[in-house]
Amino acid sequence: AVRLGIVVPELTALRDTLAGLLDDALDPAALSPARAEMPRHYNFSLGLPLARQPLVAVALQWLDLAAHAHDIAQETFGALLRQPGWSADIGEADARARLDARLRQDMPPSFSLEQLLRFLRKASSKLGGEGCVSRLLASLENLKAALAEQPSRQTHAAWVPVLRRLLDTLGWPGERVLSSHEFQARRAFDKELNALAELDVVQGRVPLGEACRHLRQLCRERIFQPQTEGEPPVQVMGLLEAAGTPLDELWVMGMNDHLWPPAARPNPLLPAELQRCARSPNASAEVQEEFARTIQRRLLRSAPQVILSWARNEADRALRPSPLLGSVVGLDTGNGNDHSGSFVI
């Protein structure tokens, strides 16, 4: 019944590490592939770029490959052979693994789509039976035919239905029924495909490769967070999300002097002196210190009990606590090695 909060200044960089640690501590059953999407006892306020979702990553890799069908890296195609999410990813999984081995043995480091098709026809006839990849071969034949019908350049709006068709010819998103997270990721990807057409306002006619590059950028910028079931008792947040969240206990980690207050990052497109005079965000060390003190006061009022902690070492480098912590309890922040690493308020 208790609501706990963990505040992480470097949440973007540490998210994957924390997810693994929290799974080990709170949801060890999630280590089983069959239960990878089970509801967790924790929730992250920060999602991941849509481009990092496996189903979307496969789609983007295939579109990039289609855009550069004259120069396909063996490593890239071999990795796609071993990934699900397209063509007969279940029915021909074993055959695709055997094909990957022959590919590395008999093909050069790079080749064209036409060379790949010739190789697949010969390999499929030689392997036969368990080595049959007829559906994969048909998918790539259809891909070649679809690419041959396209002009060299057209608008983003014209490329959108083409990209959908290319993915359809490849059998994306594969044979099996999608999980809840995969279904949500596919729906988000469809929205980004539609958003690609809006680039026609600032872009003219572009080649397929550039349209694919713009789509990948849209998917990198789109933060995707699958909907969670229920209300997990542990919330993992960034510094700004914690304020206003009702919690029983709060742990603020990473309160080191190189992270808190955050370093100044003035806008490179505006005069630095003008930004300092206007006291715009990230303009100077003084602005950042004032910002950090405000956030810190809010954090200290966010729960009846607050734990502030800092790292004492990173590899061979000794670290120190933030000087702002001294104002909280009169802590001497001069030497990090003299401190236990945390205190409770």
Side-chain angles (χ1 to χ4, degrees):
V2 179
R3 288 182 57 83
L4 308 176
I6 303 175
V7 174
V8 189
E10 293 183 298
L11 183 55
T12 302
L14 297 177
R15 189 188 191 281
D16 291 343
T17 301
L18 286 170
L21 293 171
L22 289 168
D23 275 345
D24 287 343
L26 303 178
D27 297 291
L31 296 175
S32 168
R35 306 195 66 188
E37 295 185 6
M38 63 175 282
R40 303 297 208 270
H41 289 91
Y42 64 90
N43 179 60
F44 282 94
S45 66
L46 177 69
L48 293 170
L50 180 61
R52 289 183 56 182
Q53 299 302 311
L55 198 68
V56 176
V58 167
L60 293 174
Q61 289 171 33
W62 261 117
L63 292 176
D64 286 342
L65 186 147
H68 303 91
H70 60 284
D71 186 20
I72 301 172
Q74 181 195 119
E75 182 181 2
T76 300
F77 183 71
L80 283 168
L81 277 177
R82 300 188 298 271
Q83 291 187 52
W86 66 282
S87 189
D89 53 354
I90 297 177
E92 295 180 354
D94 291 343
R96 277 160 55 164
R98 296 187 182 92
L99 183 62
D100 178 41
R102 289 189 65 95
L103 187 79
R104 287 184 271 117
Q105 178 180 346
D106 300 335
M107 288 292 281
S110 62
F111 39 78
S112 67
L113 179 58
E114 180 58 41
Q115 290 174 311
L116 175 62
L117 285 170
R118 288 200 298 267
F119 169 78
L120 291 178
R121 294 186 195 107
K122 292 180 182 178
S124 185
S125 62
K126 287 182 180 179
L127 292 172
E130 294 181 352
C132 180
V133 287
S134 57
R135 288 183 60 185
L136 180 148
L137 184 57
S139 296
L140 295 183
E141 295 277 13
N142 293 335
L143 175 67
K144 177 187 173 184
L147 288 173
E149 298 173 359
Q150 306 308 318
S152 59
R153 304 173 73 91
Q154 55 185 341
T155 63
H156 289 87
W159 279 123
V160 170
V162 173
L163 298 180
R164 295 186 190 278
R165 180 185 171 192
L166 294 179
L167 291 175
D168 287 341
T169 62
L170 292 164
W172 184 80
E175 291 181 314
R176 63 183 177 81
V177 177
L178 298 182
S179 67
S180 173
H181 290 187
E182 290 171 333
F183 178 80
Q184 294 177 54
R186 182 181 183 180
R187 187 168 56 183
F189 181 68
D190 285 338
K191 291 181 180 179
E192 296 309 310
L193 265 176
N194 293 331
L196 184 66
E198 299 174 5
L199 295 180
D200 288 343
V201 177
V202 293
Q203 294 270 345
R205 295 159 64 88
V206 298
L208 174 59
E210 189 168 346
C212 293
R213 182 172 62 83
H214 291 156
L215 176 61
R216 179 179 288 276
Q217 185 62 31
L218 288 174
C219 292
R220 284 174 177 167
E221 294 173 355
R222 167 71 183 274
I223 299 300
F224 174 75
Q225 178 77 301
Q227 295 180 0
T228 57
E229 297 182 19
E231 192 69 23
V234 179
Q235 299 293 323
V236 187
M237 304 166 281
L239 284 164
L240 299 180
E241 290 92 351
T245 304
L247 297 167
D248 296 299
E249 295 186 27
L250 178 67
W251 170 27
V252 186
M253 62 182 290
M255 293 283 97
N256 288 91
D257 60 352
H258 67 288
L259 297 174
W260 194 245
R265 295 187 304 275
N267 190 319
L269 302 179
L270 298 174
E273 182 62 29
L274 182 63
Q275 295 180 64
R276 286 193 291 267
C277 292
R279 300 188 67 80
S280 60
N282 298 306
S284 66
E286 292 76 13
V287 171
Q288 294 298 83
E289 180 179 350
E290 182 180 340
F291 163 78
R293 290 185 183 278
T294 301
I295 296 299
Q296 186 168 289
R297 285 194 295 269
R298 293 177 181 175
L299 291 173
L300 295 175
R301 299 189 186 103
S302 296
Q305 177 168 293
V306 179
I307 298 175
L308 304 176
S309 71
W310 59 91
R312 299 178 61 183
N313 301 91
E314 184 177 31
D316 295 332
R317 180 166 67 107
L319 301 179
R320 297 180 300 179
S322 167
L324 298 187
L325 300 185
S327 63
V328 179
V329 291
L331 177 68
D332 178 10
T333 59
N335 184 354
N337 291 327
D338 295 337
H339 306 304
S340 63
S342 67
F343 56 81
V344 179
I345 299 174

